Coordinates of all heavy atoms in Angstrom, one line a residue:
M849 N 128.5 101.7 142.6 CA 129.1 100.4 142.8 C 129.9 99.9 141.6 O 130.9 99.3 141.8 CB 127.9 99.4 143.0 CG 128.4 98.0 143.2 SD 127.0 96.9 143.5 CE 127.8 95.4 143.6
L850 N 129.5 100.3 140.4 CA 130.3 99.9 139.2 C 131.7 100.5 139.2 O 132.6 99.9 138.7 CB 129.5 100.3 138.0 CG 128.3 99.5 137.7 CD1 127.5 100.1 136.5 CD2 128.6 98.1 137.4
S851 N 131.9 101.7 139.8 CA 133.2 102.3 139.8 C 134.1 101.6 140.8 O 135.3 101.6 140.6 CB 133.1 103.8 140.2 OG 132.6 103.9 141.5
D852 N 133.6 100.9 141.8 CA 134.4 100.2 142.7 C 134.7 98.8 142.3 O 135.5 98.1 142.9 CB 133.7 100.1 144.1 CG 133.6 101.5 144.7 OD1 134.4 102.4 144.3 OD2 132.8 101.7 145.6
A853 N 134.1 98.3 141.3 CA 134.2 96.9 140.8 C 134.6 96.8 139.4 O 133.7 96.9 138.5 CB 133.0 96.1 141.1
P854 N 135.8 96.8 139.0 CA 136.2 96.9 137.6 C 135.8 95.7 136.8 O 135.7 95.7 135.6 CB 137.7 97.0 137.6 CG 138.1 96.5 139.0 CD 137.0 96.8 139.9
A855 N 135.5 94.5 137.4 CA 135.0 93.4 136.7 C 133.5 93.4 136.4 O 133.0 92.6 135.7 CB 135.3 92.1 137.5
H856 N 132.8 94.4 136.9 CA 131.4 94.5 136.6 C 131.2 95.3 135.4 O 131.8 96.3 135.1 CB 130.7 95.2 137.8 CG 130.5 94.3 139.0 ND1 129.4 94.0 139.6 CD2 131.5 93.5 139.7 CE1 129.5 93.2 140.6 NE2 130.8 92.9 140.7
Q857 N 130.2 94.8 134.6 CA 129.9 95.5 133.3 C 128.4 95.7 133.3 O 127.6 95.0 133.9 CB 130.2 94.6 132.1 CG 131.7 94.2 132.0 CD 132.5 95.3 131.6 OE1 132.1 96.1 130.8 NE2 133.7 95.4 132.2
L858 N 128.0 96.7 132.5 CA 126.6 97.1 132.4 C 126.2 96.9 131.0 O 126.8 97.4 130.0 CB 126.3 98.5 132.8 CG 124.9 99.0 132.9 CD1 124.2 98.3 134.0 CD2 124.9 100.5 133.2
F859 N 125.1 96.1 130.7 CA 124.6 95.9 129.4 C 123.1 96.4 129.4 O 122.4 96.2 130.3 CB 124.6 94.4 129.0 CG 126.0 93.8 129.0 CD1 126.6 93.2 130.1 CD2 126.7 93.9 127.8 CE1 127.8 92.7 130.0 CE2 128.0 93.4 127.8 CZ 128.6 92.8 128.8
V860 N 122.8 97.1 128.3 CA 121.5 97.7 128.2 C 120.8 97.2 126.9 O 121.4 97.3 125.8 CB 121.6 99.2 128.2 CG1 120.2 99.8 128.1 CG2 122.2 99.6 129.5
L861 N 119.5 96.8 126.9 CA 118.7 96.5 125.8 C 117.8 97.7 125.6 O 117.0 98.0 126.4 CB 117.9 95.2 126.0 CG 117.0 94.8 124.9 CD1 117.7 94.5 123.6 CD2 116.1 93.7 125.3
M862 N 117.9 98.3 124.4 CA 117.1 99.5 124.1 C 116.1 99.2 123.0 O 116.3 98.3 122.2 CB 118.0 100.6 123.7 CG 119.0 100.9 124.8 SD 120.1 102.3 124.3 CE 119.2 103.6 125.1
A863 N 115.0 99.9 123.0 CA 114.0 99.8 122.0 C 114.6 100.3 120.7 O 115.5 101.1 120.6 CB 112.8 100.7 122.4
P864 N 114.0 99.8 119.6 CA 114.5 100.2 118.2 C 114.4 101.7 118.1 O 113.4 102.3 118.5 CB 113.6 99.5 117.2 CG 113.0 98.4 118.0 CD 113.0 98.8 119.4
H865 N 115.4 102.4 117.5 CA 115.4 103.8 117.3 C 115.2 104.1 115.9 O 116.0 103.6 115.0 CB 116.7 104.4 117.8 CG 116.8 105.9 117.8 ND1 116.0 106.7 118.5 CD2 117.6 106.7 117.1 CE1 116.3 108.0 118.2 NE2 117.3 108.0 117.4
Q866 N 114.2 104.9 115.6 CA 113.9 105.2 114.2 C 114.3 106.7 113.9 O 113.7 107.6 114.5 CB 112.5 105.0 113.8 CG 112.1 103.6 114.0 CD 110.6 103.3 113.8 OE1 109.8 104.2 113.5 NE2 110.2 102.1 113.9
A867 N 115.4 106.9 113.1 CA 115.8 108.2 112.8 C 114.9 108.9 111.9 O 114.4 108.3 110.9 CB 117.3 108.2 112.3
S868 N 114.7 110.2 112.1 CA 113.8 110.9 111.2 C 114.6 112.0 110.4 O 115.5 112.6 111.0 CB 112.7 111.6 112.0 OG 111.9 112.4 111.2
S869 N 114.2 112.2 109.2 CA 115.0 113.2 108.4 C 114.1 114.5 108.2 O 114.5 115.3 107.4 CB 115.3 112.6 107.0 OG 114.1 112.3 106.3
A870 N 113.1 114.7 109.0 CA 112.3 115.9 108.9 C 113.1 117.1 109.5 O 113.9 117.0 110.3 CB 111.0 115.7 109.7
A871 N 112.8 118.2 108.9 CA 113.6 119.4 109.2 C 112.9 120.3 110.3 O 113.5 121.3 110.7 CB 113.8 120.3 107.9
T872 N 111.7 119.9 110.8 CA 111.1 120.8 111.8 C 111.8 120.6 113.1 O 112.4 119.6 113.4 CB 109.6 120.4 111.9 OG1 109.5 119.0 112.4 CG2 108.9 120.5 110.6
T873 N 111.7 121.6 113.9 CA 112.4 121.6 115.2 C 111.9 120.6 116.1 O 112.6 119.9 116.8 CB 112.3 123.0 115.9 OG1 112.7 124.0 114.9 CG2 113.1 123.1 117.1
A874 N 110.6 120.4 116.2 CA 110.0 119.4 117.1 C 110.3 118.0 116.7 O 110.7 117.2 117.5 CB 108.4 119.6 117.1
T875 N 110.3 117.8 115.4 CA 110.7 116.4 114.9 C 112.2 116.2 115.1 O 112.6 115.1 115.5 CB 110.3 116.3 113.4 OG1 109.0 116.6 113.3 CG2 110.6 114.9 112.9
A876 N 113.0 117.2 114.9 CA 114.4 117.0 115.1 C 114.8 116.8 116.5 O 115.7 116.0 116.8 CB 115.2 118.3 114.5
T877 N 114.1 117.4 117.4 CA 114.3 117.2 118.9 C 113.9 115.8 119.3 O 114.7 115.1 120.0 CB 113.5 118.2 119.7 OG1 113.9 119.5 119.3 CG2 113.8 118.1 121.2
K878 N 112.8 115.3 118.7 CA 112.4 114.0 119.1 C 113.3 112.9 118.5 O 113.6 111.9 119.1 CB 110.9 113.8 118.6 CG 110.4 112.4 119.0 CD 108.9 112.3 118.6 CE 108.4 111.0 119.1 NZ 107.0 110.8 118.7
A879 N 113.8 113.2 117.3 CA 114.7 112.2 116.6 C 116.1 112.2 117.4 O 116.7 111.2 117.4 CB 114.9 112.6 115.2
A880 N 116.5 113.3 118.0 CA 117.7 113.3 118.7 C 117.6 112.7 120.1 O 118.7 112.4 120.7 CB 118.2 114.7 118.8
A881 N 116.4 112.4 120.6 CA 116.3 111.8 121.9 C 116.7 110.3 121.9 O 116.7 109.7 120.9 CB 114.8 111.8 122.3
L882 N 117.1 109.9 123.0 CA 117.6 108.5 123.2 C 116.4 107.5 123.1 O 115.3 107.9 123.6 CB 118.3 108.3 124.5 CG 119.7 109.0 124.6 CD1 120.2 108.8 126.0 CD2 120.6 108.4 123.6
P883 N 116.5 106.3 122.6 CA 115.5 105.3 122.6 C 115.2 104.9 124.1 O 116.1 105.0 125.0 CB 116.0 104.2 121.8 CG 117.4 104.4 121.7 CD 117.7 105.8 121.9
D884 N 114.1 104.3 124.3 CA 113.7 103.8 125.7 C 114.6 102.6 126.1 O 114.9 101.7 125.3 CB 112.3 103.4 125.7 CG 111.3 104.5 125.5 OD1 111.7 105.7 125.9 OD2 110.2 104.3 125.0
V885 N 114.9 102.6 127.3 CA 115.7 101.4 127.9 C 114.7 100.4 128.3 O 113.7 100.6 129.1 CB 116.5 101.8 129.1 CG1 117.2 100.6 129.8 CG2 117.6 102.8 128.7
L886 N 114.8 99.2 127.8 CA 113.9 98.1 128.1 C 114.4 97.2 129.2 O 113.6 96.9 130.1 CB 113.7 97.2 126.8 CG 113.1 97.9 125.6 CD1 113.0 96.9 124.4 CD2 111.8 98.5 125.9
V887 N 115.7 96.9 129.2 CA 116.3 96.0 130.2 C 117.7 96.5 130.5 O 118.4 96.8 129.5 CB 116.3 94.5 129.8 CG1 117.0 93.7 130.9 CG2 114.9 94.0 129.6
A888 N 118.1 96.5 131.7 CA 119.5 96.7 132.1 C 120.0 95.5 132.9 O 119.4 95.0 133.8 CB 119.6 98.0 132.9
L889 N 121.2 95.1 132.5 CA 121.9 93.9 133.2 C 123.2 94.4 133.8 O 124.0 95.0 133.1 CB 122.2 92.8 132.2 CG 121.0 92.0 131.6 CD1 121.5 91.2 130.5 CD2 120.4 91.2 132.7
Q890 N 123.4 94.0 135.1 CA 124.7 94.2 135.7 C 125.4 92.8 135.7 O 124.8 91.8 136.3 CB 124.6 94.8 137.1 CG 126.0 95.0 137.7 CD 125.8 95.5 139.1 OE1 124.8 95.8 139.6 NE2 127.0 95.6 139.8
V891 N 126.5 92.6 135.1 CA 127.2 91.3 135.0 C 128.6 91.4 135.6 O 129.3 92.4 135.3 CB 127.3 90.9 133.5 CG1 128.0 89.6 133.3 CG2 125.9 90.8 132.9
S892 N 129.0 90.4 136.3 CA 130.3 90.3 136.8 C 131.1 89.3 136.0 O 130.7 88.1 136.0 CB 130.3 90.0 138.3 OG 131.6 89.8 138.8
L893 N 132.2 89.7 135.5 CA 133.1 88.7 134.8 C 134.1 88.1 135.8 O 134.8 88.8 136.4 CB 133.8 89.4 133.6 CG 132.9 90.2 132.6 CD1 133.7 90.9 131.6 CD2 132.0 89.2 132.0
E894 N 134.0 86.8 135.9 CA 134.7 86.2 137.0 C 135.6 85.0 136.4 O 135.4 84.6 135.3 CB 133.8 85.5 138.0 CG 132.9 86.6 138.7 CD 132.0 86.0 139.8 OE1 131.8 84.8 139.7 OE2 131.6 86.7 140.7
G895 N 136.6 84.6 137.3 CA 137.4 83.5 137.0 C 138.8 83.9 136.5 O 139.2 85.0 136.7
A896 N 139.4 82.9 135.8 CA 140.8 83.1 135.3 C 141.7 83.4 136.4 O 142.6 84.2 136.3 CB 140.9 84.2 134.2
I897 N 141.6 82.7 137.5 CA 142.4 82.9 138.7 C 143.6 82.0 138.5 O 143.5 80.8 138.1 CB 141.7 82.5 140.0 CG1 140.4 83.4 140.1 CG2 142.6 82.7 141.2 CD1 139.5 83.0 141.2
A898 N 144.8 82.5 138.8 CA 146.0 81.7 138.7 C 146.0 80.4 139.6 O 145.5 80.5 140.7 CB 147.2 82.5 139.0
R899 N 146.3 79.3 139.0 CA 146.3 78.0 139.8 C 147.1 78.0 141.1 O 146.7 77.5 142.1 CB 146.7 76.9 138.9 CG 146.4 75.5 139.6 CD 146.7 74.4 138.6 NE 146.6 73.2 139.4 CZ 146.0 72.1 139.0 NH1 145.5 72.1 137.8 NH2 146.0 71.1 139.7
D900 N 148.3 78.7 141.0 CA 149.1 78.8 142.2 C 148.4 79.5 143.3 O 148.5 79.1 144.5 CB 150.4 79.5 141.9 CG 151.3 78.8 140.9 OD1 151.1 77.5 140.8 OD2 152.1 79.4 140.2
S901 N 147.7 80.6 143.0 CA 146.9 81.4 143.9 C 145.8 80.5 144.5 O 145.5 80.6 145.7 CB 146.4 82.6 143.3 OG 145.5 83.3 144.1
V902 N 145.1 79.8 143.7 CA 144.0 78.9 144.2 C 144.6 77.8 145.1 O 144.0 77.6 146.2 CB 143.3 78.3 143.0 CG1 142.2 77.3 143.5 CG2 142.7 79.3 142.1
D903 N 145.6 77.2 144.7 CA 146.2 76.1 145.6 C 146.7 76.7 146.9 O 146.4 76.0 148.0 CB 147.4 75.4 144.9 CG 147.0 74.6 143.7 OD1 145.8 74.2 143.7 OD2 147.8 74.4 142.8
A904 N 147.3 77.8 146.9 CA 147.8 78.4 148.2 C 146.6 78.8 149.1 O 146.6 78.6 150.3 CB 148.6 79.7 147.9
A905 N 145.6 79.4 148.5 CA 144.4 79.8 149.3 C 143.6 78.6 149.8 O 143.2 78.6 151.0 CB 143.5 80.6 148.4
M906 N 143.5 77.5 149.0 CA 142.8 76.3 149.5 C 143.6 75.6 150.6 O 142.9 75.0 151.5 CB 142.5 75.4 148.3 CG 141.4 76.0 147.4 SD 141.1 75.0 145.9 CE 140.4 73.5 146.6
S907 N 144.9 75.6 150.5 CA 145.7 74.9 151.5 C 145.5 75.6 152.9 O 145.6 75.0 153.9 CB 147.1 74.8 151.1 OG 147.7 76.1 151.1
R908 N 145.3 76.9 152.9 CA 145.1 77.7 154.1 C 143.6 77.8 154.5 O 143.3 78.3 155.6 CB 145.6 79.1 153.9 CG 147.1 79.3 153.7 CD 147.5 80.7 153.8 NE 146.6 81.6 153.0 CZ 146.9 82.1 151.8 NH1 148.1 81.7 151.2 NH2 146.1 82.9 151.2
G909 N 142.7 77.3 153.6 CA 141.3 77.4 153.9 C 140.8 78.8 153.8 O 139.8 79.2 154.4
H910 N 141.4 79.6 153.0 CA 141.1 81.0 152.8 C 140.6 81.2 151.4 O 141.0 80.5 150.5 CB 142.3 81.9 153.1 CG 142.1 83.3 152.9 ND1 141.3 84.1 153.7 CD2 142.6 84.2 152.0 CE1 141.3 85.3 153.3 NE2 142.1 85.4 152.2
R911 N 139.8 82.2 151.3 CA 139.2 82.6 150.0 C 139.4 84.1 149.8 O 139.0 84.9 150.6 CB 137.8 82.1 149.9 CG 137.0 82.7 148.8 CD 135.7 82.0 148.7 NE 134.6 82.7 149.4 CZ 133.4 82.3 149.5 NH1 133.0 81.1 149.0 NH2 132.5 83.0 150.2
A912 N 139.9 84.5 148.6 CA 140.1 85.9 148.4 C 138.8 86.6 148.0 O 137.8 85.9 147.6 CB 141.1 86.1 147.2
A913 N 138.7 87.9 148.2 CA 137.5 88.6 147.8 C 137.3 88.6 146.3 O 138.2 88.6 145.6 CB 137.6 90.0 148.4
G914 N 136.0 88.7 145.9 CA 135.7 88.7 144.5 C 135.6 87.3 143.9 O 135.9 86.3 144.6
D915 N 135.3 87.2 142.7 CA 135.2 85.9 142.0 C 134.4 84.9 142.8 O 134.9 83.8 143.1 CB 136.6 85.4 141.6 CG 137.3 86.2 140.6 OD1 136.6 86.7 139.6 OD2 138.5 86.5 140.8
L916 N 133.2 85.2 143.2 CA 132.3 84.4 144.1 C 132.2 83.0 143.6 O 132.4 82.1 144.4 CB 131.0 85.1 144.2 CG 130.0 84.5 145.1 CD1 130.5 84.5 146.5 CD2 128.6 85.2 145.0
I917 N 131.7 82.8 142.4 CA 131.4 81.5 141.9 C 132.7 80.6 141.8 O 132.7 79.4 142.3 CB 130.6 81.5 140.6 CG1 129.2 82.1 140.9 CG2 130.5 80.1 140.0 CD1 128.4 82.4 139.7
P918 N 133.8 81.1 141.1 CA 134.9 80.2 141.0 C 135.5 79.8 142.4 O 135.8 78.6 142.6 CB 135.9 81.0 140.3 CG 135.1 82.0 139.5 CD 133.9 82.3 140.4
W919 N 135.6 80.7 143.4 CA 136.1 80.3 144.7 C 135.2 79.4 145.4 O 135.6 78.4 146.0 CB 136.3 81.6 145.5 CG 137.5 82.3 145.2 CD1 137.6 83.6 144.7 CD2 138.9 81.9 145.4 NE1 138.9 84.0 144.6 CE2 139.7 83.0 145.0 CE3 139.5 80.7 145.8 CZ2 141.1 82.9 145.0 CZ3 140.8 80.7 145.8 CH2 141.6 81.7 145.4
T920 N 133.9 79.6 145.3 CA 132.9 78.8 146.0 C 132.9 77.3 145.5 O 133.0 76.4 146.3 CB 131.5 79.3 145.9 OG1 131.5 80.7 146.5 CG2 130.5 78.5 146.7
L921 N 132.9 77.2 144.2 CA 132.9 75.8 143.6 C 134.2 75.2 143.8 O 134.3 73.9 143.9 CB 132.5 75.9 142.1 CG 131.0 76.3 141.9 CD1 130.7 76.4 140.5 CD2 130.1 75.3 142.6
S922 N 135.3 75.9 143.7 CA 136.6 75.3 143.9 C 136.8 74.7 145.3 O 137.3 73.6 145.5 CB 137.8 76.3 143.7 OG 137.8 76.6 142.3
Q923 N 136.3 75.5 146.3 CA 136.3 75.0 147.7 C 135.3 73.8 147.9 O 135.7 72.8 148.6 CB 135.9 76.1 148.7 CG 137.1 77.1 148.9 CD 136.7 78.1 149.9 OE1 135.6 78.5 150.1 NE2 137.7 78.6 150.7
Q924 N 134.1 73.9 147.4 CA 133.1 72.9 147.6 C 133.6 71.5 147.0 O 133.4 70.5 147.7 CB 131.8 73.3 146.9 CG 130.7 72.4 147.1 CD 130.2 72.3 148.6 OE1 130.3 73.3 149.3 NE2 129.7 71.1 149.0
F925 N 134.1 71.6 145.8 CA 134.5 70.3 145.2 C 136.0 70.0 145.3 O 136.5 69.0 144.7 CB 134.1 70.3 143.7 CG 132.6 70.4 143.6 CD1 131.9 71.6 143.1 CD2 131.8 69.3 143.9 CE1 130.6 71.6 143.0 CE2 130.4 69.3 143.7 CZ 129.8 70.5 143.3
Q926 N 136.7 70.9 146.0 CA 138.2 70.7 146.1 C 138.9 70.5 144.8 O 139.7 69.6 144.6 CB 138.5 69.5 147.1 CG 138.0 69.7 148.5 CD 138.7 70.8 149.2 OE1 140.0 70.9 149.2 NE2 138.0 71.8 149.7
D927 N 138.5 71.3 143.8 CA 139.1 71.3 142.5 C 139.6 72.6 142.1 O 138.9 73.6 141.8 CB 137.9 70.8 141.5 CG 138.5 70.7 140.1 OD1 139.7 70.7 139.9 OD2 137.6 70.6 139.2
S928 N 140.9 72.7 142.1 CA 141.6 74.0 141.8 C 141.5 74.4 140.3 O 141.8 75.5 140.0 CB 143.0 74.0 142.3 OG 143.7 73.0 141.7
N929 N 141.2 73.4 139.5 CA 141.1 73.7 138.0 C 139.9 74.6 137.7 O 139.9 75.3 136.7 CB 141.0 72.4 137.2 CG 142.3 71.7 137.2 OD1 143.4 72.3 137.3 ND2 142.2 70.3 137.2
F930 N 138.8 74.5 138.5 CA 137.6 75.2 138.2 C 137.8 76.7 138.2 O 137.3 77.4 137.4 CB 136.5 74.9 139.2 CG 135.2 75.4 138.7 CD1 134.4 74.7 137.8 CD2 134.7 76.6 139.2 CE1 133.2 75.2 137.4 CE2 133.5 77.2 138.8 CZ 132.7 76.5 137.9
A931 N 138.6 77.2 139.1 CA 138.9 78.6 139.3 C 139.7 79.2 138.1 O 139.7 80.4 137.9 CB 139.6 78.9 140.6
T932 N 140.3 78.4 137.3 CA 141.1 78.9 136.2 C 140.2 79.2 135.0 O 140.6 79.8 134.0 CB 142.2 77.9 135.7 OG1 141.6 76.7 135.3 CG2 143.2 77.6 136.8
L933 N 138.9 78.7 135.0 CA 138.0 78.9 133.9 C 137.4 80.3 134.0 O 137.5 81.0 135.1 CB 136.8 77.9 134.0 CG 137.2 76.5 133.9 CD1 136.0 75.6 134.1 CD2 137.9 76.2 132.5
R934 N 136.8 80.8 132.9 CA 136.2 82.2 133.0 C 134.7 82.1 132.8 O 134.3 81.1 132.1 CB 136.8 83.0 131.8 CG 138.3 83.2 131.9 CD 138.7 84.2 130.9 NE 138.9 85.4 131.6 CZ 139.6 86.4 131.2 NH1 140.1 86.4 130.1 NH2 139.7 87.5 132.0
G935 N 134.0 83.0 133.4 CA 132.6 83.0 133.2 C 132.0 84.3 133.6 O 132.7 85.3 133.9
A936 N 130.7 84.4 133.5 CA 129.9 85.6 133.8 C 128.8 85.3 134.8 O 128.2 84.3 134.7 CB 129.4 86.3 132.5
R937 N 128.7 86.2 135.8 CA 127.6 86.0 136.8 C 126.7 87.2 136.7 O 127.1 88.4 136.7 CB 128.2 86.0 138.2 CG 127.2 85.9 139.3 CD 127.9 85.7 140.6 NE 128.9 86.7 140.9 CZ 128.7 87.8 141.7 NH1 127.5 88.1 142.2 NH2 129.7 88.7 141.9
V938 N 125.4 87.0 136.5 CA 124.4 88.1 136.4 C 124.2 88.5 137.8 O 123.7 87.8 138.7 CB 123.1 87.6 135.7 CG1 122.1 88.7 135.8 CG2 123.4 87.2 134.3
V939 N 124.5 89.8 138.1 CA 124.3 90.4 139.4 C 122.9 90.9 139.6 O 122.3 90.7 140.6 CB 125.4 91.4 139.7 CG1 125.2 92.1 141.0 CG2 126.8 90.9 139.6
R940 N 122.5 91.7 138.6 CA 121.2 92.4 138.7 C 120.5 92.5 137.4 O 121.2 92.8 136.4 CB 121.5 93.8 139.3 CG 120.3 94.6 139.7 CD 120.7 95.8 140.5 NE 121.0 95.4 141.8 CZ 122.2 95.6 142.4 NH1 123.2 96.2 141.7 NH2 122.5 95.2 143.6
V941 N 119.2 92.4 137.3 CA 118.4 92.6 136.1 C 117.3 93.6 136.4 O 116.6 93.4 137.4 CB 117.8 91.3 135.6 CG1 116.9 91.5 134.4 CG2 118.8 90.2 135.3
A942 N 117.2 94.6 135.7 CA 116.2 95.6 135.8 C 115.4 95.7 134.5 O 116.0 96.0 133.5 CB 116.7 97.0 136.2
T943 N 114.1 95.4 134.6 CA 113.3 95.5 133.4 C 112.2 96.6 133.5 O 111.6 96.8 134.6 CB 112.5 94.1 133.3 OG1 113.5 93.1 133.3 CG2 111.7 94.1 132.0
H944 N 112.0 97.3 132.4 CA 111.1 98.4 132.4 C 109.7 97.8 132.7 O 109.3 96.8 132.1 CB 111.1 99.1 131.1 CG 110.4 100.4 131.1 ND1 109.0 100.5 131.0 CD2 110.8 101.7 131.1 CE1 108.6 101.7 131.0 NE2 109.7 102.5 131.1
P945 N 108.9 98.4 133.6 CA 107.6 97.9 133.9 C 106.6 97.6 132.7 O 105.8 96.7 132.7 CB 107.0 98.9 134.9 CG 108.1 99.6 135.4 CD 109.2 99.6 134.3
D946 N 106.8 98.5 131.7 CA 105.9 98.3 130.5 C 106.2 97.1 129.7 O 105.3 96.7 128.9 CB 106.0 99.6 129.6 CG 105.4 100.8 130.3 OD1 104.7 100.7 131.3 OD2 105.7 101.9 129.8
V947 N 107.3 96.5 129.8 CA 107.7 95.3 129.0 C 107.8 94.0 129.8 O 108.1 93.0 129.3 CB 109.0 95.5 128.2 CG1 108.8 96.7 127.2 CG2 110.1 95.8 129.1
Q948 N 107.5 94.1 131.1 CA 107.4 92.9 131.9 C 106.3 92.0 131.5 O 105.2 92.5 131.1 CB 107.3 93.3 133.4 CG 108.6 93.9 133.9 CD 108.4 94.3 135.4 OE1 107.4 94.2 136.0 NE2 109.6 94.8 136.0
S949 N 106.4 90.7 131.7 CA 105.4 89.7 131.4 C 104.9 89.8 130.0 O 103.7 89.6 129.7 CB 104.2 89.9 132.4 OG 104.6 89.8 133.7
M950 N 105.8 90.0 129.0 CA 105.4 90.0 127.6 C 105.8 88.7 127.0 O 105.6 88.5 125.8 CB 106.1 91.2 126.9 CG 105.5 92.5 127.3 SD 106.1 93.9 126.4 CE 105.3 93.6 124.8
G951 N 106.3 87.7 127.7 CA 106.6 86.4 127.2 C 108.0 86.3 126.5 O 108.3 85.3 125.8
Y952 N 108.9 87.2 126.8 CA 110.2 87.1 126.2 C 111.1 86.3 127.1 O 111.1 86.3 128.2 CB 110.9 88.5 126.0 CG 110.2 89.3 125.0 CD1 109.5 90.4 125.3 CD2 110.3 89.0 123.6 CE1 108.9 91.2 124.3 CE2 109.7 89.7 122.6 CZ 109.0 90.8 123.0 OH 108.4 91.6 122.0

């Protein structure tokens, strides 16, 4: 899905990684491993739609694909200025089961 939507970004929160300077093979392999992924966020960057495009679409009662929040609010409140603003919409949050319900 991310390859089809260029406005979508992936953000990852990882556990702290502690590098080791030990020379043994087992320790070196463990130090080279990636830290654990705690949370992954899929975010859609939306908005910054040209005002002419918004005015033309609203006069026809049509809404272009993408930019869900700016188009919806522009139509609901009949305000073409809203679509010119930029924002981020959280599409998906995935949290590792071991860190869920920890109070963060």
